[in-house]
């Protein structure tokens, strides 16, 4: 089959060619400095554009824009049904520009255009509309009180939910549009203002979405975007005195720094951090289900997924069968640029991250690990790493303990399920896990005993807007998604009336 490259839309090329500034007060504004951040196509290593490298003063402008919008109640003061209609209109505009956004995502992040279309835009639309619906579902409680004074007095009491204020959203580079909207939408649904900072390597889709938000009718100052480095722009945003909440997705180390800083000001935080996610395969599991499910769970977006299954523990009777099946599946994967409709494995996001992933494999080879690799990487300057299985790695290898965040998966033979559980829980992380079995009793037992925020049975990685998501241990704090999602973006106020 001949390789088919997707043709870049004229609108996409026009957006790439623009001199992007910051999005503040409902319009593009230049930075107060002249520093720029170059953007690269991971498939070729070529520069495709640039964005402003925001200063501390730029961040202050954005936060104060959000603060003025919040205290003036241009958004929070609207009827819930009106906010819902605007957010649904926002989703409609994103859908109308879906191909444009998908192509921008692939060109700056490297992922398959098929994944960009289905996940980055398609799934994002599901989350946007789900969250818009929560706007009209914010509710408090009525409470019976037993206050005894003064004698004969009666009391009526209730709680109400109020937006926290201006929120800082820090977005990683693996799913820039989708994770970005996981922060924007609940903030707006709750009545907050938000200042969002995308990764400096993948800022384009959120800059484009901000334009669509203004077109949809979201008032100026409610949705701001600042682009820049984590060291300057990110630090200034998360420590700003007018930020009431920080929602961060990224590494555990950075998340801890944000939590320490937030603690000094008692700022609320939601942290979705790293994972070294196990999958336990019991001997009665369906091999076809396991291979299909964990190939997706492990190699989606080149393994650049916080929830990815990176440690697969297999009971001994099924081990050889599954190693052979996984090897055949990995070797069948085609490698190429994200704009190719045939390529199943695409480049990693950046040269720096590509080199980092490669160091894990170099360490494994130096220690004589058994590696089963996929096809050779293309002869190009792109940021490619071939998908690799590591069979029964030694515990001293870095890739047995640390999050690789790439197309590298450990296959480990275990004597039984008890050994698998012990190894699965022997980690500082606790984001996701899965168990693969046809035994319903074992499935329910293992979901109880696995130490992770989300546990799947006969599935892995796939999530839904109605299913709460977040980590245990050093994989984070707080939960996103689900019917109670907006609670994390609101304060609870108690009202007590004597009559």
């Amino acid at each position: 089959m001949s390789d088919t490259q997707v043709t870049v839309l004229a609108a996409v090329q026009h957006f790439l060619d623009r001199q992007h500034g910051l999005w503040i007060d409902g319009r593009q504004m230049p930075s107060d400095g002249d520093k720029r951040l170059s953007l690269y196509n991971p498939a070729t290593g070529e520069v495709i554009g640039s964005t402003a490298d925001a200063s501390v003063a730029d961040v202050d402008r954005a936060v104060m824009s959000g603060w003025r919008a919040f205290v003036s109640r241009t958004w929070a003061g609207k009827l819930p049904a009106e906010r819902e209609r605007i957010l649904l209109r926002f989703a409609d505009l994103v859908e109308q520009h879906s191909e444009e956004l998908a192509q921008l995502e692939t060109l700056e992040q490297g992922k398959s255009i098929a994944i960009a279309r289905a996940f980055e835009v398609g799934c994002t639309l599901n989350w946007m509309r789900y969250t818009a619906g929560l706007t009209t579902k914010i509710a408090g409680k009525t409470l019976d009180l037993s206050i005894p004074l003064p004698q004969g007095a009666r009391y009526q009491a209730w709680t109400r939910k109020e937006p926290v204020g201006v929120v800082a959203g820090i977005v990683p580079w693996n799913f820039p549009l989708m994770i970005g909207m996981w922060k924007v939408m609940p903030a707006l649904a709750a009545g907050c203002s938000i200042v969002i900072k995308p990764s400096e390597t993948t800022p384009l889709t959120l800059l484009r979405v901000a334009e669509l938000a203004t077109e949809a009718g979201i008032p100026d100052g409610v949705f701001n975007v600042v682009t820049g480095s984590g060291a300057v722009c990110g630090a200034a945003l998360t420590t700003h005195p007018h930020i009431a909440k920080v929602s961060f997705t990224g590494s555990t180390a950075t998340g801890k720094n944000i939590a320490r800083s937030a603690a000094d000001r008692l700022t609320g935080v939601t942290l979705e951090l790293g994972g070294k996610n196990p999958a336990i395969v019991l001997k009665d599991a369906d091999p076809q289900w396991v291979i299909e499910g964990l190939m997706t769970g492990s190699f989606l977006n080149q393994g650049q997924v916080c929830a990815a299954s990176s440690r697969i523990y297999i009971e001994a009777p099924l081990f050889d069968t599954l190693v052979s099946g996984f090897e055949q599946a990995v070797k069948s994967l085609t490698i190429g640029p994200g704009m190719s409709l045939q390529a199943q494995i695409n480049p990693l996001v950046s040269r720096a991250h590509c080199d980092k992933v490669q160091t894990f494999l170099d360490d494994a080879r130096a220690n004589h690990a058994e590696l089963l690799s996929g096809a050779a990487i293309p002869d190009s300057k792109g940021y490619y790493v071939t998908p690799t299985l590591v069979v029964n790695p030694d515990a001293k290898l870095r890739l047995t303990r640390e999050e690789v965040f790439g197309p590298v998966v450990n296959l480990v033979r275990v004597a039984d399920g008890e050994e698998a559980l012990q190894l699965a829980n022997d980690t500082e992380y606790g984001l996701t896990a899965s168990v693969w079995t046809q035994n319903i009793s074992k499935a329910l037992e293992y979901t109880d005993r696995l130490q992770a925020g989300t546990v799947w049975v006969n599935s892995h990685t796939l999530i839904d807007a109605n299913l709460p998501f977040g980590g245990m241990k050093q994989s984070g704090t707080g939960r996103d998604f689900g019917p109670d999602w907006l609670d994390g973006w609101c304060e609870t106020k108690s009202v007590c009336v004597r009559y």
Side-chain angles (χ1 to χ4, degrees), residues 168-212:
I170 310 294
V171 181
W173 46 254
N174 57 334
F175 287 95
L177 175 60
M178 186 161 64
I179 296 178
M181 299 315 291
W182 290 349
K183 302 181 187 308
V184 170
M185 290 301 294
L188 299 187
C192 302
S193 299
I194 189 166
V195 182
I196 200 101
K197 191 199 93 65
S199 166
E200 52 264 51
T201 59
T202 56
L204 293 177
T205 46
L206 283 175
L207 284 170
R208 182 67 183 104
V209 161
E211 296 177 348
L212 299 178

Side-chain angles (χ1 to χ4, degrees), residues 99-111:
E99 180 63 15
E100 178 186 348
L101 291 166
Q103 289 192 17
L104 284 171
E105 194 82 332
T106 291
L107 290 169
E108 69 173 347
Q109 201 276 339
K111 63 166 56 74

Side-chain angles (χ1 to χ4, degrees), residues 246-490:
V246 179
S247 176
F248 171 81
T249 301
S251 73
T252 296
T254 303
K256 287 180 178 179
N257 288 335
I258 289 173
R260 292 187 192 101
S261 175
D264 286 340
R265 302 178 318 283
L266 297 180
T267 302
V269 292
T270 298
L271 304 174
E272 198 263 276
L273 308 177
K276 189 68 177 172
N277 309 298
I280 294 176
V281 182
L282 301 182
K283 60 187 177 183
D284 71 325
D286 183 318
Q288 183 177 353
W289 277 34
V290 172
I291 292 169
E292 289 178 353
L294 288 179
M295 285 296 293
T296 298
S298 301
F299 294 109
L300 178 69
N301 197 27
Q302 294 62 252
Q304 298 170 127
V305 180
C306 59
S309 46
S310 59
R311 300 181 289 145
I312 303 177
Y313 298 105
I314 306 169
E315 277 197 295
L318 204 55
F319 185 77
D320 292 339
T321 297
L322 286 183
V323 170
S324 176
F326 277 118
E327 181 179 14
Q328 182 178 354
V330 163
K331 290 183 180 299
S332 73
L333 296 173
T334 56
I335 303 177
M339 293 294 276
S340 164
L341 293 174
Q342 274 69 49
Q344 298 162 298
I345 292 291
N346 313 112
L348 303 189
V349 69
S350 67
R351 170 55 59 195
H353 186 61
C354 182
D355 292 345
K356 179 182 177 181
V357 172
Q358 196 61 54
T359 63
F360 285 96
L361 295 175
D362 292 343
D363 174 64
R365 289 190 185 95
N367 286 279
H368 311 291
E370 181 183 355
L371 304 183
L372 304 176
S373 299
I377 63 176
D379 184 15
S380 75
K381 295 183 179 179
Y383 314 139
Y384 292 95
V385 172
T386 188
T388 303
L389 305 171
V390 188
V391 182
N392 288 319
D394 191 284
K396 68 184 178 182
L397 295 180
R398 289 177 56 213
L399 55 73
T400 65
R401 308 292 299 182
E402 299 178 31
E403 184 179 35
V404 178
F405 219 64
V408 179
V409 179
N410 301 340
L411 303 178
V412 181
R413 182 196 302 265
V414 293
D416 53 33
E418 284 300 315
E419 182 185 5
L421 273 169
Q422 188 275 321
L423 292 170
N425 288 333
D426 183 21
T427 175
E428 64 183 8
Y429 297 112
L431 188 58
T432 73
S434 63
V435 56
W436 299 75
T437 178
Q438 299 181 64
N439 184 321
I440 186 64
S441 295
K442 286 289 186 183
L444 294 177
E445 177 191 353
Y446 281 47
T447 58
D448 285 347
R449 297 175 64 188
L450 280 162
Q451 298 166 3
T454 299
V455 181
W456 291 278
V457 177
N458 297 327
S459 178
H460 199 112
T461 300
L462 303 178
I463 55 179
D464 186 86
N466 204 36
L467 183 68
F469 185 81
M472 295 181 178
K473 298 192 278 190
Q474 296 198 38
S475 286
T477 180
R479 292 293 181 270
D480 286 315
F481 317 157
D484 300 321
W485 193 2
L486 299 193
D487 286 354
W489 305 78
C490 294

